Amino acid sequence: MKNINFLIVGVGGQGTILASDILAEVGMLAGMDSKKSDNMGLSVRGGSVSSHIRWGDKIGSPLSMPGTIDILMASEPLEGMRSLHFLRKGSTIVANTYRVPPMLVSTGQAEYPSVETIDKAMHDAADKVIAYDATAISLEVGNVKTMNIVLLGTISTLTDAPVELWEKAITKYVPAKALDKNLKAFHAGREKG
């Protein structure tokens, strides 16, 4: 398995940290050196949250430098657009298209970029963009809180880590009462990959 630098971005309440815990665990289960670093800032609901996860033979820092991210997971489109400078040439973006407007947009002090603007920026920055409404899929599964797991399902198709390792990591980090829906969400996301 090759070295991979991941960046997960979203807003508070979207499960960015849980997704990063699972992604780091999959790397360890796959026999890689796996490191992660979370940046929660003012991550109350609606605030920016980001997590760097790195898999490799030997990883020093858990943080990736701008221009080095292989796979960007954006739980919210604007947060994804704000992080495009981290991508390297040949990178992939897996993005939820469901919008969570930041406070400045909600109060009328700023405008949310158009779908076309975000789409163009993502396609200009990455070789491959997989964008869909992961929130709608999570609602179909029966729990909107599984949106992050839907996106991880898609990311799982971009790595060499076997499905069983992903399922094992999800089982470790998701409460038992929510496990069935999370595994269903994971496999729904794999269908998008």
Side-chain angles (χ1 to χ4, degrees), residues 42-174:
L42 299 172
S43 64
V44 295
R45 290 205 180 267
S48 295
V49 183
S50 64
S51 294
H52 290 256
I53 304 94
R54 300 184 66 209
W55 295 355
D57 293 329
K58 179 94 170 108
I59 301 295
S61 170
L63 294 174
S64 294
M65 301 298 291
T68 64
I69 292 294
D70 298 293
I71 300 174
L72 170 64
M73 177 179 135
S75 299
E76 201 285 326
L78 183 56
E79 293 302 322
M81 193 170 143
R82 290 177 178 161
S83 303
L84 296 178
H85 66 285
F86 278 100
L87 296 176
R88 67 161 182 80
K89 289 192 184 299
S91 60
T92 300
I93 298 172
V94 175
N96 184 10
T97 57
Y98 184 84
R99 297 169 168 221
V100 181
M103 187 61 69
L104 288 176
V105 171
S106 299
T107 59
Q109 299 173 43
E111 281 190 39
Y112 199 101
S114 69
V115 171
E116 295 78 21
T117 299
I118 292 173
D119 189 59
K120 181 178 181 340
M122 287 188 177
H123 279 88
D124 287 349
D127 278 10
K128 184 175 184 180
V129 177
I130 305 169
Y132 58 91
D133 190 343
T135 301
I137 292 172
S138 69
L139 288 169
E140 289 171 17
V141 167
N143 186 343
V144 73
K145 292 181 180 180
T146 64
M147 178 275 300
N148 56 342
I149 306 300
V150 172
L151 293 173
L152 279 181
T154 304
I155 287 176
S156 74
T157 67
L158 304 172
T159 74
D160 295 333
V163 171
E164 299 76 28
L165 299 185
W166 290 89
E167 291 171 339
K168 186 174 182 179
I170 291 167
T171 301
K172 177 177 178 177
Y173 283 98
V174 170

